[in-house]
Amino acid sequence: DANVPLVTVNRPANEKGATAHVGEDNYKMGNLVGQEAVKLLGGKGQATGKILELMGSGGNNNTLNRSKGFHDAFEGENVEIVQSSYCDFNRAKAVAAAQDLLLANPDVKLIYAHNDDMAIGGMQVAEKNGMKDVFVCGVDGLMEAVQNIQDGKYSVTTMNDPQLQGQESVMVAIQICNGEQVESFVDVGTTLITKENAEDYITDQMFATQVKEFK
C-alpha cells in the first residue's frame, strides 16, 4: 500500500503484490527427481512399484509444485503413489507418518519427500524396519542428503541453492533501487545431485551451492 518494492525469496507469496520473486522452479525440481525415480524403478515405460510420498505443507506453493512435477514424470507408468498427511517439511512429523505408512505398506520401493529433511526421516524409518533396498529421493540439496548420496544410502536430490538465491536477490534489489525493470520471477536454476556428482558439492555448508566463494 505504501508503494515499497517487495522481493520474495525461495517461497513465493500466495497473494499478488511482490515486485519480484527469486528462487527455483519447484515444478521442475519435482519433475527432475521424478524422472530419476522412473529410472530407479525400471526405466521409461517400464517403471513399477509402490512409492511413499511425504508431503510438505497444505496450501504451500512449493508443496503443490513439487508434488505435481513428480507425479507428471510417472504419467503412463505402472506405479502406485501413497501420500502421507501433511508433514510441514518437518523431519519428526515425517518420521511419525513414515512409521505408520511403511508398516501398512511394506512393499514400498521408493520414498519421495518434498524436502530432504523429511526424506532422511523416511530413510531412517525404512532402515529401522530392515527395508534396505528402498530408494530415497528428496529436494533441496541439504548437505546431510548429499553426504548420504555419496555414501550410497540416498538416491537423488535437486539443488535449492539458498546462497545463490540470496546473492541474486541482492542484485535484484539493487536493480529495483536503480529504477531498472526486473523480471517478476528470477529463476536461479537447479541441478540434480546423484552418486555421479555428489562429491563436487560436499562442503561444510548446510546446503549444496553453486556459489564459488562457498566451495
Side-chain angles (χ1 to χ4, degrees):
D1 291 343
N3 202 31
V4 176
L6 170 67
V7 179
T8 56
V9 185
N10 187 255
R11 293 188 187 183
N14 287 332
E15 297 180 10
K16 295 182 179 179
T19 307
H21 173 68
V22 178
E24 272 92 351
D25 183 333
N26 284 279
Y27 174 89
K28 182 178 180 180
M29 287 193 287
N31 193 253
L32 286 172
V33 174
Q35 291 177 43
E36 289 298 306
V38 167
K39 296 176 186 177
L40 293 170
L41 293 177
K44 191 70 174 174
Q46 302 180 64
T48 61
K50 186 178 287 187
I51 297 168
L52 170 59
E53 181 179 9
L54 295 171
M55 307 291 288
S57 299
N60 182 283
N61 285 316
N62 290 3
T63 293
L64 295 172
N65 288 319
R66 292 177 186 186
S67 183
K68 181 168 174 38
F70 184 81
H71 281 245
D72 284 355
F74 281 93
E75 186 175 353
E77 304 294 343
N78 185 29
V79 300
E80 178 186 352
I81 300 178
V82 177
Q83 293 180 315
S84 73
S85 57
Y86 291 115
C87 298
D88 299 324
F89 298 101
N90 180 279
R91 186 181 303 195
K93 291 182 179 181
V95 165
Q99 285 172 337
D100 292 336
L101 289 168
L102 291 179
L103 186 64
N105 299 274
D107 54 342
V108 161
K109 300 299 182 186
L110 185 142
I111 296 171
Y112 167 62
H114 296 168
N115 74 350
D116 288 318
D117 205 39
M118 293 193 298
I120 290 171
M123 179 186 75
Q124 292 169 340
V125 174
E127 288 179 343
K128 187 175 181 180
N129 289 350
M131 303 168 68
K132 297 180 179 179
D133 296 328
V134 174
F135 300 111
V136 183
C137 307
V139 176
D140 276 349
L142 184 69
M143 192 55 60
E144 187 178 355
V146 178
Q147 291 168 339
N148 276 304
I149 290 173
Q150 187 181 44
D151 294 340
K153 296 180 179 181
Y154 202 96
S155 302
V156 61
T157 186
T158 185
M159 194 180 295
N160 186 30
D161 189 339
Q163 284 95 334
L164 186 58
Q165 291 177 54
Q167 186 181 73
E168 191 63 32
S169 65
V170 172
M171 298 303 296
V172 169
I174 290 171
Q175 288 177 302
I176 292 171
C177 289
N178 287 339
E180 301 173 31
Q181 289 293 114
V182 297
E183 297 289 333
S184 59
F185 174 42
V186 180
D187 186 358
V188 302
T190 188
T191 302
L192 274 173
I193 301 177
T194 64
K195 181 72 171 177
E196 284 66 38
N197 66 353
E199 186 177 3
D200 297 338
Y201 295 103
I202 298 290
T203 68
D204 58 356
Q205 299 298 310
M206 186 174 290
F207 291 89
T209 180
Q210 301 177 74
V211 178
K212 301 301 181 185
E213 292 84 346
F214 287 89
K215 285 287 182 90

